[in-house]
Amino acid sequence: MGNGATAGSVFLVALVVLLALQMTPASANKKPCVVFFQDFPANPSALLATITNDFRILYDFSVIRGLALQVDDGVLTLLEKLPGVLKVIPGRLLQLRTTHSWEFLGLAENGKEAGAWSSASFGEGTIIGNIDTGVWPQSPSFQDDGFGVPSGWRGICDKGCDPTFQCNNKLIGARFFSEGIQAELWLSSLVGDGGGDQGNNKMPSKEDLSSPRDYQGHGAHTLSTAGGSRARGAGVFGHGEGTASGGAPRARVAAYKACYEAAGCSDLDVLAAVLAAVADGVHVLSLSLGPELAADYLSDLIAIGAFYAVQRGVAVVCAAGNSGPRPGTVTNVAPWMFTVGASTMDRDFPAYVTFGDNLTIQGQSLGASTLPLGQAYPMISGENANAANQPTSNSSLCLAGSLDPAKVAGKIVVCVRGVNGRVEKGLVVKQAGGVGMVLCNDAASGDSVLADPHLVAAAHCSYSQCAKLFDYLHSTNNSSGYINATDASFGVKPAPAMADFSSRGPNVITPQILKPDITAPGVSVIAAYSGAVSPTELPFDDRRVAYNIMSGTSMACPHVSGVVALLRAKYPSWSPAMIKSAIMTTATTVANDGNPIQDETGAEATAFSYGSGHVNPVAAMDPGLVYDTTLADYANFLCSLKPTQNPVQDVQGNLPVGLPISLPANLSDLLLLPLFNAAGEPCACSRSSKGPYGRPEDMNYPSIAVPCLSGSGGSATVRRRLKNVGGGPGKYRVAVAEPAGVKVTVVPGELEFGFGEEEEFAVTLDVVDAAAAGEYVFGSIVWSDANGSDDVDAYGRPGANGAHAHRVRSPIVVKTKCG
């Protein structure tokens, strides 16, 4: 640096100090944030002291040239003016988003392991890190299985203030990170922020903040789903009993606690956990959490941390979010993340509601039946059971205090889903003297129902089923009925079907990258739980269970994490992108009834619901070809993002219709690309020798999305590369399913590979009917080496003779109406 630059820096520091002196400290609020530097300063405290002495360093993120701080709100703009500072990102709170699921996914048959599971050594040798609410180490799912700790493990077991917490050769590590959440909640307590459903201004207990123990149950559930050992006799209140197992039951697991009871997660703590897990030597990171809204990649600390992890060979699997079925709600949308939606499996927990002249509708429940079974009780709709001064809009939802005990006592109450929790509605009924509850979906929730451990006899029924019940209630003043909750039922069809809550695409940050990537079982999943909390997580419930049933993309995410661990064990040299491709391109879009996967309304689901399809672990073990997204691909993707306007929303405020958010000019070059490091040389846009970087849709990704194929006669060509991992030479031919109004041409239409070779092809999209493709339309290309001896089922699993062709499918999403 020359003298002129040095003098300029001194002047800038002096200016910043002058501005700092003009601040009014009494008006400032302390906020957590992360400061990113072009070069990490040798003495960050001294640099910060030039503008304020009132700061606290929360985490040292020097490995990615960052520093987490708690500082006065007014200092944030001054931080950005310090020499060498690239960006200041304020912290934000994130949300937390099985006995049978592995049989449904083909890894077990009749309770016995299938060959694909054993071919991957059940995940032996891999380490799964879970960033969540901690772990309950006493669970049978985490008991020492007699194997040693894998080589390369550098982590620790930090029991904090809990002397009873113990790790072992299964649960090999545990840590906790709470500086960020304490800073967030300290601020909320000053300004009266937070509250609501998340309860964000409720400080967790000292015990919760000071140990890796799970006081909420979410972390134990997700970690055991991904990598829990096989545990016999798992069930919930006598329902669904069987052998619980993680997807990679012989993998080692490590818990990184960054989320807390009633508080949520601070993204500063999650980033600290990601960096610690990478340093510890994990192979897979599972994050069943995310922001309420997707953010651009330079404002999303989780995306930045995942970017660092993936480039160091750690696969990062994330939940898509629980804000469905509204479009454009999917989060964790960076292309280096593996984003998972939630769908059903072929098991449910039937609960029948019989009423009137022996009419019966079916729902689901883990609650009890009304007793004695078959005895009819008076029934009343919540709408007609309102207490004095309570609107029917409240009582129909069975909100707290909305029901009149005089109207409810001894009756079954029909409540509508929404606003308050499903189990909480049953409590409201019970407290008002009701003997049972029928929980009815509204139209938006459609046919997606859930089994919950209700505190009262209950059945959760679909919108279409409840229409019959409401017709009956409106037809008589003397309605009556009863509830019969039964044990698990298997072989349910159609399955999978998309869960209504699963967040949907398109990707509002870069719609050229289809999100979610995949769907997996996320409805009524049974897995390990915490002994410190009730199965409903409600304070008045004093029940305790070793295993619990939960639903959400939080439950779907660790299913995929377990499959990733299996592939990592079988193919230890594969990159995270190769593993991701193997899972995406072998996914199925067909349910077990032979028809396309449905959404919550019964209509055919699309790639905005399930991405590439439903995970198929058996087929993923032998994908034939993979898309290997390389360091250069990610670099060119970041460099290709162009300045555009922020997305806008429709009049309802829910459908993003704008162009993609871009990264500020040159900032992606300075902030994200240095996280890549090949042969000691950081990537940078300015250092490319290939000229223009193309477009975001040109990144070598396993799916294809072109959100602006403008006008009649419009055309676009995207390029992809496939690598042969099929064990020998192979010849593949392409088959095309064209989106409505679009002609798809693949050149060449045949690819011939030697083992390990990589070949390139181009996909040209030509508009033939602009109106038909005005809104998003869907198609696919499939590469196959079928030679006539193919024998597979609807999921691509080998048939009776063991022979099967490779089937490498990529979805296509396109529209001609831009913006």
Side-chain angles (χ1 to χ4, degrees):
M1 184 180 291
N3 290 335
T6 302
S9 299
V10 171
F11 174 77
L12 182 57
V13 170
L15 178 61
V16 170
V17 171
L18 179 61
L19 291 172
L21 293 176
Q22 297 175 354
M23 286 183 57
T24 306
S27 67
N29 292 318
K30 291 187 182 296
K31 287 188 176 181
C33 66
V34 178
V35 183
F36 286 97
F37 301 90
Q38 186 164 358
D39 295 300
F40 195 80
N43 190 340
S45 294
L47 179 63
L48 293 170
T50 62
I51 59 171
T52 180
N53 289 317
D54 189 11
F55 65 87
R56 186 164 70 96
I57 295 177
L58 303 177
Y59 296 111
D60 181 341
F61 296 151
S62 55
V63 68
I64 56 172
R65 297 170 295 112
L67 193 68
L69 304 172
Q70 185 179 17
V71 296
D72 286 339
D73 186 13
V75 176
L76 294 180
T77 56
L78 303 181
L79 286 172
E80 293 176 338
K81 296 180 173 64
L82 284 175
V85 170
L86 291 175
K87 188 173 180 65
V88 178
I89 302 177
R92 60 176 175 167
L93 288 171
L94 308 177
Q95 300 172 356
L96 290 167
R97 305 265 186 258
T98 100
T99 55
H100 177 67
S101 52
W102 302 112
E103 284 194 64
F104 180 56
L105 294 177
L107 289 178
E109 297 174 4
N110 300 318
K112 298 180 179 180
E113 299 90 352
W117 218 345
S118 58
S119 74
S121 304
F122 303 94
E124 174 69 30
T126 57
I127 304 169
I128 301 172
N130 190 47
I131 301 178
D132 212 294
T133 61
V135 65
W136 190 258
Q138 292 93 333
S139 170
S141 292
F142 306 119
Q143 294 308 295
D144 196 327
D145 53 16
F147 292 93
V149 176
S151 61
W153 173 246
R154 300 176 292 275
I156 61 173
C157 186
D158 182 0
K159 60 182 66 179
C161 68
D162 186 349
T164 65
F165 190 98
Q166 297 293 330
C167 295
N168 54 42
N169 285 337
K170 175 66 178 181
L171 177 63
I172 59 175
R175 294 184 181 224
F176 58 97
F177 303 86
S178 63
E179 296 291 344
I181 196 69
Q182 292 186 72
E184 289 279 4
L185 296 180
W186 178 88
L187 174 64
S188 296
S189 68
L190 288 185
V191 300
D193 227 0
D197 290 342
Q198 297 299 317
N200 286 336
N201 63 352
K202 178 182 177 182
M203 185 69 74
S205 67
K206 179 181 179 181
E207 292 77 14
D208 195 9
L209 291 168
S210 304
S211 85
R213 184 173 293 278
D214 182 8
Y215 286 91
Q216 185 169 340
H218 194 273
H221 198 281
T222 54
L223 183 54
S224 66
T225 301
S229 298
R230 293 176 64 81
R232 299 181 185 276
V236 186
F237 300 118
H239 295 274
E241 290 191 355
T243 300
S245 176
R250 292 187 185 172
R252 301 301 178 267
V253 297
Y256 295 85
K257 183 175 180 177
C259 302
Y260 294 86
E261 182 183 12
C265 331
S266 163
D267 55 358
L268 274 68
D269 294 331
V270 174
L271 178 57
V274 169
L275 300 182
V278 173
D280 287 347
V282 305
H283 303 119
V284 183
L285 269 173
S286 190
L287 284 75
S288 290
L289 49 84
E292 183 176 355
L293 299 172
D296 73 81
Y297 310 137
L298 292 183
S299 299
D300 187 343
L301 293 177
I302 312 309
I304 293 172
F307 193 81
Y308 171 80
V310 166
Q311 290 312 304
R312 274 141 187 83
V314 179
V316 181
V317 187
C318 300
N322 297 335
S323 298
R326 291 185 297 116
T329 51
V330 62
T331 63
N332 293 321
V333 295
W336 45 87
M337 293 170 154
F338 200 171
T339 310
V340 187
S343 43
T344 64
M345 56 182 127
D346 66 341
R347 176 192 66 190
D348 61 18
F349 299 87
Y352 301 92
V353 184
T354 301
F355 53 92
D357 189 16
N358 211 30
L359 297 173
T360 299
I361 61 174
Q362 180 179 339
Q364 292 196 50
S365 180
L366 290 181
S369 304
T370 52
L371 296 175
L373 190 62
Q375 176 181 314
Y377 290 86
M379 302 183 76
I380 187 171
S381 68
E383 181 181 17
N384 293 330
N386 58 309
N389 301 317
Q390 283 289 328
T392 58
S393 57
N394 285 357
S395 62
S396 65
L397 293 167
C398 296
L399 302 182
S402 67
L403 301 181
D404 184 350
K407 298 176 182 178
V408 168
K411 297 179 182 178
I412 297 172
V413 182
V414 182
C415 305
V416 176
R417 187 178 181 182
V419 183
N420 58 336
R422 299 183 302 274
V423 176
E424 185 179 345
K425 293 175 188 291
L427 174 70
V428 173
V429 170
K430 183 178 181 179
Q431 290 175 332
V435 298
M437 173 187 69
V438 182
L439 175 59
C440 284
N441 278 354
D442 57 9
S445 299
D447 291 337
S448 183
V449 297
L450 302 166
D452 292 305
H454 291 283
L455 293 156
V456 67
H460 180 189
C461 299
S462 70
Y463 178 73
S464 59
Q465 292 275 287
C466 280
K468 306 171 188 176
L469 177 57
F470 280 115
D471 285 345
Y472 167 69
L473 292 175
H474 294 152
S475 70
T476 178
N477 293 324
N478 297 302
S479 53
S480 65
Y482 62 92
I483 297 170
N484 180 19
T486 63
D487 197 8
S489 175
F490 298 91
V492 175
K493 294 183 179 181
M498 294 306 303
D500 66 307
F501 58 76
S502 186
S503 290
R504 307 303 210 259
N507 177 347
V508 298
I509 306 301
T510 43
Q512 301 91 338
I513 303 298
L514 175 63
K515 291 287 180 172
D517 293 305
I518 200 85
T519 188
V523 176
S524 299
V525 176
I526 296 175
Y529 202 60
S530 169
V533 66
S534 72
T536 62
E537 299 181 33
L538 297 174
F540 43 76
D541 186 356
D542 59 2
R543 298 173 298 175
R544 296 293 182 268
V545 293
Y547 289 83
N548 197 13
I549 192 165
M550 300 180 76
S551 299
T553 56
S554 284
M555 285 63 250
C557 170
H559 276 90
V560 174
S561 301
V563 176
V564 169
L566 292 177
L567 286 170
R568 175 61 172 71
K570 187 169 185 176
Y571 303 107
S573 65
W574 282 15
S575 68
M578 294 170 71
I579 293 174
K580 180 179 181 179
S581 172
I583 296 171
M584 290 175 64
T585 59
T586 57
T588 179
T589 60
V590 178
N592 59 358
D593 62 353
N595 295 314
I597 294 173
Q598 297 179 358
D599 67 14
E600 73 287 344
T601 68
E604 185 174 336
T606 73
F608 285 152
S609 298
Y610 54 60
S612 292
H614 188 263
V615 60
N616 179 356
V618 176
M621 298 292 174
D622 183 18
L625 306 174
V626 295
Y627 295 88
D628 186 12
T629 312
T630 65
L631 182 154
D633 292 321
Y634 287 127
N636 286 336
F637 166 78
L638 289 169
C639 294
S640 72
L641 299 179
K642 304 295 192 298
T644 62
Q645 295 179 340
N646 289 346
V648 296
Q649 295 181 329
D650 66 8
V651 292
Q652 284 78 33
N654 56 17
L655 177 60
V657 295
L659 293 173
I661 298 174
S662 71
L663 305 185
N666 200 41
L667 195 51
S668 64
D669 187 6
L670 294 171
L671 180 57
L672 283 177
L673 290 182
L675 298 184
F676 291 127
N677 194 302
E681 289 295 327
C683 292
C685 298
S686 60
R687 298 181 186 179
S688 173
S689 60
K690 297 183 179 180
Y693 302 103
R695 303 157 301 169
E697 56 262 42
D698 286 322
M699 192 175 71
N700 197 45
Y701 207 71
S703 55
I704 296 170
V706 180
C708 184
L709 188 63
S710 59
S712 178
S715 181
T717 298
V718 297
R719 299 187 179 277
R720 294 292 190 270
R721 303 183 316 276
L722 279 167
K723 179 181 288 187
N724 180 23
V725 294
K731 182 183 291 186
Y732 287 76
R733 295 181 178 86
V734 73
V736 176
E738 293 181 332
V742 178
K743 178 178 177 56
V744 179
T745 306
V746 181
V747 178
E750 183 176 287
L751 296 174
E752 191 163 355
F753 297 88
F755 177 68
E757 286 185 350
E758 195 169 37
E759 298 291 341
E760 184 175 294
F761 63 95
V763 180
T764 298
L765 308 170
D766 292 302
V767 178
V768 294
D769 186 341
E775 301 302 330
Y776 278 110
V777 289
F778 306 90
S780 65
I781 60 171
V782 179
W783 293 95
S784 176
D785 59 357
N787 57 14
S789 62
D790 185 30
D791 181 16
V792 296
D793 66 10
Y795 285 81
R797 300 166 184 159
N801 65 15
H804 77 286
H806 297 105
R807 183 175 179 273
V808 186
R809 180 183 181 276
S810 292
I812 297 174
V813 177
V814 61
K815 70 181 176 78
T816 60
K817 184 180 178 181
C818 300

